[in-house]
């Protein structure tokens, strides 16, 4: 009950202040932190109401998704936990064939987190929300003791209006359907790993973390019959393909030579014995489309910077459900399996 | 990359197995944990699709809310973190005048958490979801290293259809409107505190954690003009009243003698120097209604076990925004303020 904030809280000072247990107490200190850091950043009429939740209009079919973000370190080349917490969740909505609209944000803060760090994370989220065209309309804040929570864990949940005219899901995949990959693989995982281990690389490898909403909506709006979408986060392309193929009851064949991996990423993975097909991405997805749509879908994707490297990498065939094989440059073929174990913990 | 689950995972064994980092890796071990623990408990067609999100029908105005749960210990007299994670979020939706329908669940698990403990938490959530009439349709799972996350942190977000014909919010409160309190105060906070400190009380005080959805929907369905609702979680009745009064631009007067607090709770609070008006509850709320609705609203609330102790405790008046005064039995009056500092951390 002893507290620096007994009658009136002194103004928060970014140079000195840190998160205290009292900031999670539901009282005056929490109100101050919300007013000072969160509401100005996420400024909108829903948060201004200070209610237990937000009331929004959501006619018809809606997609609903959630992700928690525990990436370590909080900041890494090309992105940070706040940006990821928005892009990761809007991307999941896009994968459902939906236009992301509203997000919730739940923060678990570690006592002692510098206020300046918190503000940087919150500002990143706000900027990412603007970029993705979503509003953060409701939230929650908890504080846990020093040594827990690595500074901050963030959960976002999101809702969005389904704009795809047909369900976007693995069961709609037909034998012969083509697999489009939206760009090069592995940069997010490598960027986090180098930041965590403080590895010095000749060239900095930046995370691919980005919203993929625009190209996905463009595919749908321009009438491509998108059978299925899947982002390539934990477990990478390999796990995503195996999962989708399992759900579709089909096998898949990909051409390894057509899968773009930057040379520096490839060298880094070789050095550490990682398979780029298993490394996590935060701005990459696969789109499954009918053969006759491949050329047009690829053209649409290439219009957007986030998917300008889009390329067809293979197709689905009748066969054992979930069997994914990759042919190499010399024509040999290997079975691609989902990630076993934890290749790189705390990547997202 | 060394992992007990390299080619095929051995069946999970509740007696021996614990959560491993690999369970958060997005690969085979995670798939096994989801299949073995989560999907059977939350069994529904949305989760069965194993997609990045759920597609639900949500016509018209919808409430959207989120909360993270970091209560310590995970189990305490009368409830546990899993039950709270469902009831807390459905109650927030009810406070928006909405019928809760779909929840998301984001788990942050600590490496080493016994599988049996995880299953107990998940089963509690599933039971609470059935009780509250909601489906857990989408989720996420992360694992962090030993020493972080106190076993498990849970975030739930929820959506529900707004059924209130008029907005349920502080701005609709008029001078003269009455404050109904749904039951006795303080049991949740005291139950968690005794469990954490392993205090031996003569009589066990059990948490009041419960869904308040039924009585709230009954008020709305039976035509009570509910001006505002607020649950009395962190910061207790005092913080909730001050916040609501501030947003309403009004003052409030309550009669302390009419506020039900169990004798054992009161004695415990006296002993520790706590004010029961500041202690957190997880199954209590206030409903603000017009004077002419008080008798009927009270009757409706008393029909339900969770609000059978409903009682009118005061009213709103013209005055300084947010000024809440309580009159005592002997007629003296004191200003009620929101909680300053962190009275009892990690209560929810």
């Amino acid at each position: 009950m002893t507290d620096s904030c007994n009658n009136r809280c002194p103004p928060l000072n970014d140079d000195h202040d840190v998160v205290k247990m009292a900031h999670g107490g539901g009282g005056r200190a929490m109100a101050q932190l919300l007013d000072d850091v969160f509401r100005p950043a996420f400024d909108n009429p829903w948060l201004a109401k200070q209610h237990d939740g937000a009331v929004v209009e959501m006619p018809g079919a809606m997609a609903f998704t959630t992700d928690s973000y525990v990436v370590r370190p909080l900041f890494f080349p090309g992105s940070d936990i706040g940006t990821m917490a928005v892009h990761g969740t809007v991307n999941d909505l896009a994968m459902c064939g939906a236009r992301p609209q509203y997000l919730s944000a739940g923060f678990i803060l570690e006592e002692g987190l510098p206020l300046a760090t918190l503000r940087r994370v919150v500002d990143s989220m706000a900027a990412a929300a603007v970029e993705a065209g979503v509003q953060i309309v409701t939230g929650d804040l908890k504080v846990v003791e020093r040594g827990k929570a690595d500074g901050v864990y963030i959960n976002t949940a999101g809702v969005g209006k389904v704009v795809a005219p047909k369900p976007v899901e693995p069961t709609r995949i037909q034998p012969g359907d083509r697999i489009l990959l939206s760009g090069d693989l592995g940069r997010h995982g490598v960027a986090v790993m180098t930041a965590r281990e403080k590895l010095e690389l000749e060239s900095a490898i930046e995370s691919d973390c980005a919203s993929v909403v625009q190209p996905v909506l463009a595919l749908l709006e321009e009438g491509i019959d998108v059978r299925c979408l899947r982002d390539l986060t934990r477990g990478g392309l390999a796990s995503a393909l195996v999962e989708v193929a399992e759900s579709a009851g089909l096998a898949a064949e990909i051409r390894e030579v057509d899968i773009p991996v930057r040379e520096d990423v490839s060298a880094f993975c070789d050095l550490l014995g990682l398979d780029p097909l298993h490394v996590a991405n935060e701005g990459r997805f696969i789109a499954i489309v009918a053969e006759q749509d491949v050329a047009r879908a690829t053209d649409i994707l290439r219009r957007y910077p986030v998917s300008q490297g889009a390329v067809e990498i293979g197709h689905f065939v009748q066969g054992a459900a979930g069997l994914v094989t990759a042919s190499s440059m010399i024509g040999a073929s290997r079975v691609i399996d989902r990630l076993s174990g934890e290749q790189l913990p705390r990547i997202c």
Side-chain angles (χ1 to χ4, degrees), chain A:
Chain A
M1 245 124 348
T2 58
D3 182 58
S4 66
C5 188
N6 224 337
N7 283 305
R8 187 156 304 184
C9 298
L12 290 172
N13 180 329
D14 276 26
D15 291 337
H16 305 106
D17 281 331
V18 300
V19 171
K20 299 172 190 169
M21 292 306 293
H23 286 125
R28 196 191 290 278
M30 185 160 123
Q32 185 190 31
L33 190 67
L34 293 175
D35 285 345
D36 196 88
V37 176
F38 292 90
R39 283 202 191 91
F42 302 152
D43 185 33
N44 62 53
W46 295 276
L47 288 180
K49 278 187 197 284
Q50 307 189 26
H51 206 345
D52 284 330
V55 171
V56 296
E57 285 292 326
M58 210 68 216
M62 170 188 110
F64 181 30
T65 190
T66 192
D67 257 323
S68 299
Y69 299 85
V70 299
V71 65
R72 199 166 52 81
L74 301 177
F75 305 91
F76 45 86
S79 196
D80 63 73
I81 190 171
T83 306
M84 273 183 74
V86 171
H87 288 332
T89 294
V90 300
N91 288 350
D92 278 344
L93 291 171
M95 297 300 110
C96 298
R99 178 190 299 280
Q101 286 169 281
Y102 303 108
L103 297 190
S104 66
F107 294 85
I108 299 176
L109 306 180
E110 179 183 355
E111 182 188 18
L113 176 73
L115 188 68
T117 306
L118 176 61
R119 198 183 295 277
R120 210 175 135 198
V121 169
V122 169
D123 288 346
S124 283
M125 289 184 75
V130 168
E131 193 193 326
V134 294
Q135 302 269 9
I136 298 170
V137 295
T138 187
D140 176 57
L141 176 65
K142 294 290 188 308
V143 180
V144 294
E145 295 84 358
R146 261 170 222 278
K148 312 284 179 186
D150 301 292
V152 53
Y153 298 151
I154 303 173
N155 175 284
T156 49
V159 295
K161 183 176 165 50
V162 174
V163 294
K166 295 180 188 171
V168 175
E169 51 186 47
T171 50
R172 286 193 55 242
I173 301 173
Q174 301 296 317
D177 281 357
R178 302 289 155 153
I179 302 162
L180 300 184
L181 168 63
S182 71
D184 67 304
L185 294 183
R187 280 195 281 127
H188 174 71
V190 171
V192 172
M193 204 173 328
T194 54
R196 190 182 306 165
E197 309 299 341
K198 300 191 172 59
L199 299 173
E200 298 282 340
L201 299 184
E202 278 180 40
S203 62
I205 295 173
E206 297 207 326
S207 167
D208 51 60
C209 182
S211 160
V212 301
V213 172
Q214 284 193 310
V216 167
L217 291 179
L219 289 177
L220 296 169
E221 282 161 4
E222 300 191 30
I224 301 291
D225 178 14
V226 178
R227 305 287 171 84
C228 182
L229 297 159
R230 190 61 57 105
D231 55 358
L232 311 178
T233 53
R234 278 183 294 178
L237 172 66
S239 299
L241 270 178
V242 171
E243 275 174 35
V244 167
E246 272 180 2
S247 300
L250 296 171
E253 294 173 5
I254 58 173
R255 299 176 304 276
E256 211 147 359
V257 68
D258 290 333
I259 297 173
V261 180
R262 260 172 42 174
E263 213 168 304
D264 50 2
V265 172
S266 174
F268 184 91
C269 288
D270 275 354
L271 201 68
L272 271 77
L274 302 173
D275 182 344
L277 269 53
H278 281 145
V279 175
N281 315 275
E282 285 292 330
R284 294 289 176 262
F285 63 99
I286 47 172
I288 319 299
V289 301
E291 190 178 357
Q292 67 268 22
D293 281 337
V294 166
R296 207 158 61 86
T298 309
D299 285 347
I300 292 169
L301 293 178
R302 287 182 180 165
R303 271 189 237 146
Y304 298 88
V306 71
S307 51
Q308 65 185 5
V311 60
E312 193 231 303
I313 61 165
H315 61 284
F316 283 86
V317 293
Q318 294 285 9
L323 178 66
V324 179
T325 52
S327 59
S328 74
M329 211 180 324
I330 56 166
S333 149
R334 65 168 176 134
V335 172
I336 301 294
D337 205 350
R338 69 176 81 192
L339 177 61
S340 280
E342 174 64 90
Q343 195 179 50
L344 174 60
R346 312 285 302 276
I347 196 86
C348 59

